[in-house]
Amino acid sequence: MLEQLRIRGLGVIDDATLQLGPGLTVVTGETGAGKTMVVSGLLLLFGGRADAARVRAGSEQAAVDGLLEIDPAAAAAERVRDAGGVLDDGTSLVLRRTVSSAGRSRAHVGGAATPVAVLGELAEQLLAVHGQSDQLRLARPSEQRAVLDRYAGIDLTDFAAAFAEWRAAVERLDERRSRIGELRREADFLSHGLAEIEAAAPLPGEDVDLAAAASRLAHADALRIAARQAHDALLGDADDPLAESADVAALLGTARRALEQQADADPELDELTARVRELAALATELGTDFSAYAAGLDADPERLAELEARRAVLTALVRKYVDGPEPDLAGVADWSGRAAARLAEIDVSDEALAALAARRDEAAARVVDLAVDLSKRRAAAAAELGSAVTAELSGLAMAGASCAIIVRPRAVVAGTPALEVDGTDRSVGPDGADDVEIVLQSHADAPALPLARGASGGELSRVMLAIEVCLAGADPVPTMVFDEVDAGVGGRAAVEVGRRLARLARRARRPQVIVVTHLAQVAAYADTHVVVDKRADGDAGVTASDVRVVTGDDRVAELARMLSGTASETARQHARELLDDAIADRRDAPTKPRRTPVKTKR
C-alpha cells in the first residue's frame, strides 16, 4: 500500500506531500491546480517515461518519492532485495525517481541505485493506473481479449512458448526445402573436408612434435659434435687419454685432493670441500649424459623424409581449413567440430526432411491442443463476465443496458500463420486463435454494437468501471489509481460510480483505491479526501501547504465548491446531504463481491 507521495519540481507542483491511507482516497481541486500531476508523479515513480518538459520552470530536476508498506515475503520484496535495496523496518519500501531538466533520469529502490526498468517491474505487482486513455484502449480487440483473460485467470506463457516452437519448426523446414540445392553443395564441401581430415587423422600437438623431431634429424651431425665436445671438456677425450688439455673432472679432482689434506682442521673449509665433491659428481653425471645423447643421435635421411612428408600433409590441412594470423593444427580440429555440427543442421536427406516435418507437426498439434483449451476457458469466462458487467451497469444508471463478451474463431488472414483448431481453420498468434469482442446494448431497443461504435464517452467510462469492479478479485495489485475515469458522467450515474469505487476499495486484496475526480458524488464516498489548491497569491506553483486532507466543515465546503462552484449555504446543505447519504450507503453496503472471476481447470 502507498502511504506517502512527495512530488517536487513536477509541472505546477513545487513541493507537495500527499498522505495516503487504506480504502478509497479521492484527490480533488480546481482545474489547473495540479491534481492530475499526482497521477503523473505516480507514473514517473513507477517507471514511466521521463519527459524533461515536465520539469517545473526554474527547477533543476523533478523528483518523486514514494513510501510503501509491502509484505516482506511477497515477490515485490524479493525483487527489491535482488536489486540491492532494503526494506526499512522490514516492511517499508522507499522509491525515488528523478528527472533533470536536461532529461537525465535516475531511479532508487530501497536506497539502492537501479535501472528504471526495476520500477516498472515493481509497478506490475504493486500498482495499476487507469486513466481516460484506458477507455480508448478498451475499444481495441487486443485489450478486450486481455480483459477476458484476466478475468479467467489465463496465463499465456505456455501457449506463447508452444506457438514460438511451432513457428521455429516451420521456418526450419521451409528453409531446408527452399535452399535444398545450395545446402547440398555446402554439405558436399563439408563432407569432403571432414573425410580429408579423418583420413589424415591428425593428433593434438602433432605438428609441434614433428617440427621438433625433423629439426633434430636435420642437424644430427652438428648436434653430435657439440655434445662430444661438451663431454670432452667435462671428462676428457676417452679416445686419447694422454691428451694434454685439462678437463673439468681432472681439475676438480686436483682441488678435492688438496682440500682433503686439511680435513678436520677447519669446519668452514670442510663445508667447502663437500661442495667441491658435489660439483665433481655433477660434472661426471653431466658428461655421461652428453655421451649418451651423442650416441643416441642418428642421421636417418629416410626417417627425415617421412617426417617432412607428414608435415606437408598437416600443413596443407592448416592452410585449407584455418584462417587467422597464426593458423595451426588446433584450428583444424575446431573447423572439423563446427563442420560436423553444421552438417547435422543442413542435412537435406529424405530422412532428415521427414524428421523436421514430424517435429513441425508435433509442435502444431501442441498448439492446437492449447488453443482448444484456451477457447473453452474463454467461452466459459465470457458468459460469466458478461452477466457480471451487465449487473454492474444496472447499478450505474444503465438499467436497460446489457453487455456481452463474444468469443469467436479468428478468421484466416492471408500471410498469417493458420491451423485447423476444433474443426475450423483459424489464424493463430501468440495469444491464441480467438477474437474477443465486447458488445454493448445501451438500452432494450438499441442494437448490440461493439464498444468502439456503440458507446458514448460516459457509457465507456461506466463499462470500464464495471469491468474493473468485476476484475477486482483477479488483479493482485494492492493499489489502484483512477484518473478522472468519471468524465462524461453525472447525476445518478455519478453517485453509482462513487458507490462502485468505494466497493472496489473494500474488496479482498484491494486495501487502496486512489481516485482523481471532479465529481462531488464520487468524492463523497471517500475514506480520505485530499484537496489540491491553487496558490492564493496567483503563483502557479503548488507547495506542501496547498495539499491538504479535508474533514468536517472543510470537506463540506470542498464538496459544495465541486457541486456549484461556490460555498454558499445552499451548496453546503446539498453537500451535507450528499455526504450523509454516502456514509449511510457505505455503512449498509456489502463488503464482499457478489461474483468472483471464473477459474476453469485445464
Side-chain angles (χ1 to χ4, degrees):
M1 183 182 70
L2 186 63
E3 294 186 332
Q4 186 183 90
L5 183 71
R6 184 181 182 187
I7 303 174
R8 288 170 290 170
L10 182 67
V12 299
I13 297 181
D14 181 21
D15 187 346
T17 300
L18 281 77
Q19 300 293 339
L20 303 169
L24 176 61
T25 297
V26 298
V27 180
T28 65
E30 294 184 14
T31 301
K35 59 183 182 296
T36 58
M37 282 296 103
V38 173
V39 177
S40 297
L42 279 171
L43 292 174
L44 190 64
L45 181 64
F46 283 94
R49 185 176 66 88
D51 186 356
R54 289 290 187 96
V55 178
R56 178 172 167 77
S59 299
E60 294 183 358
Q61 68 175 17
V64 183
D65 297 272
L67 175 63
L68 299 92
E69 189 78 9
I70 67 173
D71 182 355
E78 183 64 26
R79 185 65 186 95
V80 170
R81 290 187 285 268
D82 289 343
V86 297
L87 300 180
D88 295 339
D89 299 326
T91 59
S92 296
L93 172 63
V94 177
L95 302 180
R96 179 176 174 80
R97 178 83 181 279
T98 60
V99 180
S100 71
S101 56
R104 185 173 183 181
S105 173
R106 292 183 176 178
H108 290 78
V109 174
T114 67
V116 173
V118 176
L119 294 176
E121 293 174 24
L122 292 174
E124 295 178 359
Q125 304 173 55
L126 299 175
L127 183 81
V129 178
H130 297 275
Q132 295 183 52
S133 59
D134 289 274
Q135 300 170 16
L136 299 178
R137 286 201 296 271
L138 188 59
R140 302 173 186 168
S142 60
E143 185 67 18
Q144 295 176 17
R145 193 270 308 157
V147 164
L148 180 59
D149 285 354
R150 280 174 57 199
Y151 186 80
I154 291 174
D155 183 352
L156 290 172
T157 302
D158 289 344
F159 184 87
F163 175 81
E165 182 180 352
W166 168 55
R167 295 312 304 162
V170 170
E171 290 174 4
R172 282 194 298 270
L173 180 59
D174 290 348
E175 180 194 24
R176 198 76 61 93
R177 286 174 171 171
S178 65
R179 298 176 56 209
I180 191 167
E182 175 188 347
L183 294 176
R184 277 178 175 164
R185 288 189 293 274
E186 183 182 358
D188 288 343
F189 169 74
L190 295 175
S191 298
H192 173 77
L194 289 171
E196 186 177 18
I197 294 171
E198 183 179 0
L203 301 175
E206 185 180 0
D207 50 347
V208 177
D209 295 339
L210 288 175
S215 176
R216 181 176 181 180
L217 283 174
H219 299 86
D221 291 336
L223 293 173
R224 186 184 298 108
I225 292 172
R228 182 58 184 269
Q229 289 176 345
H231 168 273
D232 293 349
L234 290 170
L235 301 181
D237 187 354
D239 297 333
D240 187 9
L242 299 178
E244 296 181 359
S245 59
D247 57 78
V248 173
L251 293 174
L252 288 173
T254 300
R256 178 179 56 78
R257 288 190 294 271
L259 293 170
E260 287 177 346
Q261 291 177 6
Q262 303 301 323
D264 300 329
D266 184 0
E268 184 177 353
L269 186 62
D270 290 343
E271 291 180 3
L272 294 174
T273 301
R275 292 170 62 184
V276 170
R277 292 193 191 99
E278 293 175 0
L279 188 56
L282 180 59
T284 300
E285 181 181 355
L286 188 57
T288 302
D289 290 342
F290 277 124
S291 178
Y293 173 79
L297 288 173
D298 184 14
D300 185 348
E302 293 183 1
R303 176 57 181 162
L304 179 59
E306 292 176 1
L307 293 179
E308 292 296 350
R310 178 62 176 172
R311 291 183 68 197
V313 171
L314 298 183
T315 300
L317 292 179
V318 171
R319 288 176 178 173
K320 190 172 183 179
Y321 298 109
V322 182
D323 294 325
E326 297 181 0
D328 55 17
L329 200 58
V332 175
D334 290 341
W335 184 91
S336 180
R338 294 194 303 272
R342 176 59 178 165
L343 194 60
E345 292 178 359
I346 63 173
D347 186 357
V348 289
S349 65
D350 292 341
E351 294 79 4
L353 293 177
L356 285 178
R359 283 196 289 271
R360 176 205 59 189
D361 295 342
E362 182 180 350
R366 169 70 173 160
V367 171
V368 169
D369 288 344
L370 291 176
V372 169
D373 180 68
L374 278 179
S375 297
K376 291 179 179 178
R377 297 173 69 193
R378 283 170 174 162
E384 179 79 13
L385 180 58
S387 297
V389 172
T390 297
E392 289 296 332
L393 290 176
S394 178
L396 288 169
M398 293 179 65
S402 65
C403 184
I405 291 86
I406 300 173
V407 181
R408 60 173 63 94
R410 185 173 296 164
V412 176
V413 178
T416 63
L419 287 170
E420 183 179 328
V421 179
D422 205 14
T424 305
D425 288 338
R426 307 188 194 181
S427 283
V428 183
D431 58 353
D434 306 309
D435 282 333
V436 176
E437 186 174 55
I438 299 178
V439 175
L440 177 68
Q441 185 178 17
S442 57
H443 55 83
D445 297 327
L449 295 174
L451 282 184
R453 295 192 298 132
S456 66
E459 289 172 339
L460 199 56
S461 297
R462 281 176 275 179
V463 170
M464 192 192 74
L465 180 58
I467 288 174
E468 289 300 337
V469 171
C470 296
L471 290 176
D475 200 335
V477 296
T479 298
M480 181 172 284
V481 181
F482 291 91
D483 181 19
E484 297 193 3
V485 294
D486 47 18
V489 177
R492 179 188 167 199
V495 174
E496 294 299 336
V497 168
R499 179 179 291 120
R500 260 57 184 182
L501 288 170
R503 180 191 300 172
L504 188 61
R506 294 194 300 274
R507 293 288 176 91
R509 298 193 298 171
R510 177 86 63 227
Q512 188 175 51
V513 174
I514 301 171
V515 180
V516 177
T517 182
H518 66 284
L519 293 178
Q521 294 93 327
V522 173
Y525 277 88
D527 296 292
T528 305
H529 190 158
V530 178
V531 177
V532 181
D533 289 325
K534 285 185 176 180
R535 296 287 297 275
D537 57 9
D539 191 332
V542 175
T543 68
S545 61
D546 303 311
V547 178
R548 54 198 174 92
V549 175
V550 292
T551 58
D553 289 342
D554 289 338
R555 187 178 184 192
V556 171
E558 173 62 11
L559 293 175
R561 181 200 64 77
M562 297 175 71
L563 286 168
S564 65
T566 67
S568 66
E569 185 54 37
T570 300
R572 285 175 177 268
Q573 181 61 33
H574 188 184
R576 291 189 188 96
E577 293 176 358
L578 187 65
L579 190 58
D580 290 342
D581 288 345
I583 292 173
D585 191 14
R586 291 179 55 198
R587 182 176 57 246
D588 298 335
T591 59
K592 294 183 179 180
R594 290 173 297 177
R595 293 175 178 84
T596 56
V598 62
K599 302 290 184 179
T600 57
K601 294 185 179 180
R602 294 176 51 185

